[in-house]
């Protein structure tokens, strides 16, 4: 079927319900058809043309074009079975390029997953929830260092929105990682598991800061690891209708928690 038939053509009423198609995302090998011929067809039919074209690169494998003769074609179903859908989705959106070809290797995907998701976000979620030991984390007294980390959230959200609007998914993820890295360093430097023995209030401030930032990170991660983000947000007791980008709290609020441990991203081991 043609693109128009999928949208309801020749039933004009159905077609106009879903038209105009304002943004086309396409591979670089079909840019001529979508930027010259397709707009000409639409113009001849008296239909509005796309307002924006985003052209992405291809995927190569270990620096070489994929081909059957080279034997380096990647089986997507096999990769999903091995690594999980969220892991594969995250990597493709993280590494796929608009101005360059994405380079796929299993070693690279495993490295990205372990360093960014398992070690950084997943580990922080597990440690902070375990140390919280409460089902309702009320706002504690926050130090200047705690407040400085929380103050990074507005810029993170602004950068994220800008990059998503420009279809720069890798840069949108980097905006999240910049803040997750900062809150991880804050958590490790302050060592709340030790601080709790000498200054319980200060320890609670560090733990609270991590949980508050993780709420925002969980919301922003939804397009990239949807199944795991739901698990994360459910553990933080964020209602389904409060998981939009406009629901992110820049100011401290009480944080309800589900009891029990949580493992978001089990580390991938090399086979």
């Amino acid at each position: 079927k043609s693109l128009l038939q999928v949208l309801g053509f020749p039933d004009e009423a159905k077609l106009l319900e879903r038209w105009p198609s304002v943004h086309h995302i396409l591979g670089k090998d079909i840019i001529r058809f979508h930027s010259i011929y397709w707009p000409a067809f639409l113009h001849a039919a008296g239909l509005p043309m796309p307002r924006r074209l985003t052209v992405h690169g291809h995927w190569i494998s270990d620096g070489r074009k994929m081909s059957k003769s080279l034997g380096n074609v990647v089986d997507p179903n096999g990769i999903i079975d091995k690594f999980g859908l969220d892991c594969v989705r995250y990597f493709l959106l993280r590494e796929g390029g608009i101005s360059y070809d994405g380079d796929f290797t299993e070693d690279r995907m495993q490295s990205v997953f372990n360093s960014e998701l398992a070690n950084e976000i997943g580990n922080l979620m597990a440690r902070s929830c375990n140390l919280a030991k409460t089902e309702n984390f009320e706002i504690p007294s926050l130090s200047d260092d705690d407040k400085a980390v929380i103050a990074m959230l507005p810029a993170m959200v602004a950068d994220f929105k800008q990059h998503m609007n420009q279809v720069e998914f890798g840069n949108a993820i980097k905006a999240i990682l910049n803040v997750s890295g900062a809150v991880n360093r804050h958590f490790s430097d302050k060592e709340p598991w030790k601080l709790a023995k000498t200054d319980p209030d200060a320890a609670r401030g560090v733990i609270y800061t991590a949980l508050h930032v993780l709420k925002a990170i969980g919301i922003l991660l939804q397009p990239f690891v949807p199944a795991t983000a739901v698990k994360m947000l459910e553990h933080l007791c964020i209602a389904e209708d409060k998981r939009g980008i406009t629901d992110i709290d820049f100011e401290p609020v009480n944080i309800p928690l589900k009891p029990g441990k949580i493992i978001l991203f089990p580390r991938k081991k090399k086979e």
Side-chain angles (χ1 to χ4, degrees):
K1 290 185 177 181
S2 72
L3 296 176
L4 282 175
Q5 285 176 307
V6 171
L7 295 176
F9 186 84
D11 186 324
E12 187 172 344
K14 288 184 178 179
L15 177 63
L16 294 179
E17 284 178 5
R18 302 171 180 176
W19 201 267
S21 176
V22 296
H23 189 180
H24 286 191
I25 299 177
L26 54 138
K28 63 182 181 180
D29 55 332
I30 56 173
I31 187 172
R32 178 186 295 178
F33 180 87
H34 280 268
S35 63
I36 300 174
Y37 303 139
W38 180 239
F41 298 157
L42 295 175
H43 180 71
L47 291 169
M49 290 179 278
R51 299 173 193 167
R52 180 179 177 190
L53 296 178
T54 295
V55 183
H56 60 77
H58 289 165
W59 277 96
I60 58 178
S61 178
D62 200 14
R64 298 187 298 174
K65 182 179 179 180
M66 294 189 202
S67 72
K68 291 181 180 179
S69 60
L70 291 174
N72 65 345
V73 176
V74 177
D75 174 17
N77 292 321
I79 293 297
I80 290 170
D81 290 343
K82 185 174 181 178
F83 289 94
L85 183 56
D86 268 9
C87 175
V88 174
R89 182 187 180 103
Y90 179 86
F91 181 80
L92 294 180
L93 293 171
R94 167 81 165 85
E95 298 288 296
I98 295 297
S99 59
Y100 56 88
D101 290 334
D103 196 355
F104 178 91
T105 67
E106 287 192 23
D107 286 346
R108 172 62 180 160
M109 185 165 70
Q110 179 176 296
S111 175
V112 166
F113 178 89
N114 285 338
S115 63
E116 297 178 0
L117 295 179
N119 291 354
E120 191 149 296
I121 296 172
N123 191 39
L124 180 64
M125 179 77 176
R127 290 196 296 170
S128 55
C129 288
N130 185 49
L131 287 172
K133 295 179 180 178
T134 179
E135 294 182 22
N136 186 25
F137 209 111
E138 296 183 356
I139 305 171
S141 175
L142 299 174
S143 70
D144 289 343
D145 288 341
D146 297 332
K147 294 175 182 177
V149 174
I150 292 174
M152 297 178 71
L153 294 182
M156 175 185 71
V157 171
D159 288 346
F160 179 89
K161 290 171 66 175
Q162 177 182 345
H163 292 308
M164 290 296 281
N165 288 335
Q166 294 299 319
V167 201
E168 298 171 346
F169 301 132
N171 287 334
I173 288 174
K174 288 176 184 177
I176 299 173
L177 295 176
N178 286 339
V179 175
S180 70
V183 71
N184 261 289
R185 290 188 293 273
H186 176 67
F187 196 88
S188 296
D189 290 346
K190 298 297 183 180
E191 299 182 319
W193 55 94
K194 292 182 180 179
L195 194 59
K197 299 174 183 178
T198 57
D199 193 342
D201 289 341
R204 285 177 60 80
V206 175
I207 297 166
Y208 174 88
T209 298
L211 293 172
H212 185 76
V213 172
L214 283 166
K215 284 176 56 182
I217 288 174
I219 288 173
L220 297 187
L221 280 177
Q222 289 177 101
F224 308 108
V225 287
T228 310
V230 166
K231 183 179 178 182
M232 184 177 182
L233 296 173
E234 285 179 346
H235 199 81
L236 294 169
C237 298
I238 300 177
E240 289 186 24
D241 62 348
K242 296 295 182 182
R243 296 176 185 177
I245 196 168
T246 57
D247 295 310
I248 292 175
D249 295 306
F250 295 148
E251 299 297 327
V253 294
N254 291 345
I255 301 176
L257 290 172
K258 281 188 177 180
K261 296 181 179 180
I262 182 169
I263 299 176
L264 294 176
F265 304 104
R267 283 181 57 81
K268 308 294 183 184
K269 296 181 180 180
K270 192 170 184 178
E271 296 181 356

